[in-house]
Amino acid sequence: KITENPIWSKVFIGERISLTCEISDDGDTQWAYEWRTSSSETTAESTEKWVFNASVSSAGEYWCRGKKKLDLCSSTIWSYPIKMIVMSGKPKAQISVDLFPLNGKWTLTCSVKPSQPWKYFWYKGEKSSEFLPTHQAAESNKHIHVSQTGLYWCRGGRGDPIYYTEFSESLKVGTQEESILEESSSLITGLACGSLLIKLVLLLMCWFTKVIDLCYIKFIQSVNLNQASAAQQTISQDEIHIYSTLLHGDQAVYESLPHNRNIEIGEAADDDSALVSCDQVI
């Protein structure tokens, strides 16, 4: 079988590639190796490892097999093929910065497409002055935080020896434009707080209006209740007045009782003054 180092799905022109043909045996057999690609029948390479720099013609499939040195007519079967995709040109790094600084620090981001495992190398000022040591370059420092203003660059790298991408465009950090952006951030924050305050005031006004409406409704209900009660009392007084006042054509029965004496209905009275009299009013 063939193993590839590094194991990338895509390689770039000029990137160092190392292919190894591995044969499983008892370890005592001496082998000669034969390589074949889809672009040619065989190659001149006869060693276990095949190392080369990728080019446009490197694209395609690769096979290998072994032949016994003591018996060249005896060989293994061809390995399963591996496919190599070669990208034309050199990738270029992209650098970006957060819109607003946090605690006086800017977050810088470096990226390379395709996004396969890359190490990232950072530069400040001139491209030749790398300010992060090579051994610190790793995927983890794709993002860095800086507090010093100035000109920043980055690029990616991978493999051994390291294959570098093109430099990113330069990025100025802490410029007047970014100060304006920072002021704009404060302005936006102030506007957001002001908007929140206005919403709170409107909410309180709405609540206050509802309370006033509720009080007004209760007041109207109270007034209507008092008016209804007053009207009821007037009707009752009118009824009393009607029943206690004789009009023309009404009939009435009067009973005259002496002081401290009760007379049963239908009882005869000895005293003439206690007689029941009935007069008809005409």
Side-chain angles (χ1 to χ4, degrees):
K1 67 177 182 180
I2 299 176
T3 58
E4 182 183 1
N5 185 33
I7 305 175
W8 313 130
S9 59
K10 297 177 182 180
V11 299
F12 295 90
I13 294 177
E15 196 165 6
R16 180 66 60 89
I17 304 298
S18 176
L19 302 179
T20 302
C21 187
E22 296 181 355
I23 301 175
S24 299
D25 60 356
D26 54 11
D28 294 333
T29 305
Q30 292 183 341
W31 297 96
Y33 297 88
E34 187 176 3
W35 292 88
R36 179 165 65 92
T37 69
S38 56
S39 59
S40 63
E41 282 297 321
T42 58
T43 65
E45 191 65 39
S46 60
T47 58
E48 180 182 2
K49 283 189 177 183
W50 185 12
V51 181
F52 58 94
N53 292 328
S55 62
V56 176
S57 61
S58 301
E61 294 182 327
Y62 289 74
W63 295 264
C64 78
R65 70 177 179 177
K67 289 184 176 183
K68 292 182 178 181
K69 289 185 177 181
L70 299 180
D71 183 7
L72 294 179
C73 294
S74 177
S75 64
T76 67
I77 61 174
W78 289 100
S79 66
Y80 287 105
I82 64 167
K83 187 175 183 179
M84 187 177 301
I85 300 174
V86 180
M87 306 292 291
S88 61
K90 209 172 189 180
K92 185 175 182 178
Q94 302 291 329
I95 188 172
S96 61
V97 61
D98 282 358
L99 184 59
F100 305 116
L102 181 63
N103 298 327
K105 290 186 177 181
W106 289 269
T107 299
L108 305 182
T109 301
C110 189
S111 60
V112 177
K113 293 182 180 180
S115 56
Q116 295 174 347
W118 294 95
K119 297 179 180 180
Y120 296 92
F121 302 86
W122 292 89
Y123 306 83
K124 182 177 182 295
E126 299 298 328
K127 294 181 182 179
S128 59
S129 57
E130 184 178 352
F131 76 101
L132 279 181
T134 303
H135 69 274
Q136 292 185 8
E139 284 188 277
S140 59
N141 68 353
K142 178 178 182 178
H143 309 280
I144 63 170
H145 306 282
V146 298
S147 57
Q148 295 181 347
T149 61
L151 199 64
Y152 288 85
W153 314 71
C154 76
R155 65 175 175 172
R158 68 182 187 183
D160 185 19
I162 297 177
Y163 171 80
Y164 289 100
T165 68
E166 291 186 7
F167 282 96
S168 67
E169 300 293 337
S170 61
L171 178 66
K172 291 183 179 180
V173 173
T175 60
Q176 183 178 1
E177 290 78 5
E178 289 177 350
S179 299
I180 293 175
L181 289 176
E182 187 174 0
E183 293 177 0
S184 300
S185 174
S186 302
L187 179 60
I188 292 173
T189 304
L191 290 175
C193 294
S195 176
L196 182 61
L197 181 60
I198 291 174
K199 290 180 180 179
L200 181 60
V201 171
L202 291 176
L203 183 62
L204 290 175
M205 289 178 63
C206 181
W207 176 81
F208 186 68
T209 302
K210 288 183 178 180
V211 171
I212 292 178
D213 291 342
L214 182 61
C215 292
Y216 177 74
I217 292 173
K218 289 186 177 181
F219 173 73
I220 294 300
Q221 291 176 349
S222 177
V223 170
N224 292 337
L225 183 61
N226 292 335
Q227 289 180 351
S229 177
Q232 184 67 29
Q233 291 179 1
T234 303
I235 293 173
S236 299
Q237 290 177 0
D238 291 343
E239 289 177 353
I240 295 173
H241 179 70
I242 290 173
Y243 289 115
S244 62
T245 304
L246 293 177
L247 300 177
H248 181 72
D250 292 340
Q251 293 182 355
V253 178
Y254 294 87
E255 182 178 0
S256 178
L257 298 177
H259 183 64
N260 295 332
R261 182 181 175 186
N262 295 325
I263 300 177
E264 299 292 336
I265 298 176
E267 179 184 354
D270 296 335
D271 191 355
D272 293 339
S273 62
L275 292 177
V276 176
S277 60
C278 297
D279 297 329
Q280 181 175 3
V281 182
I282 301 175

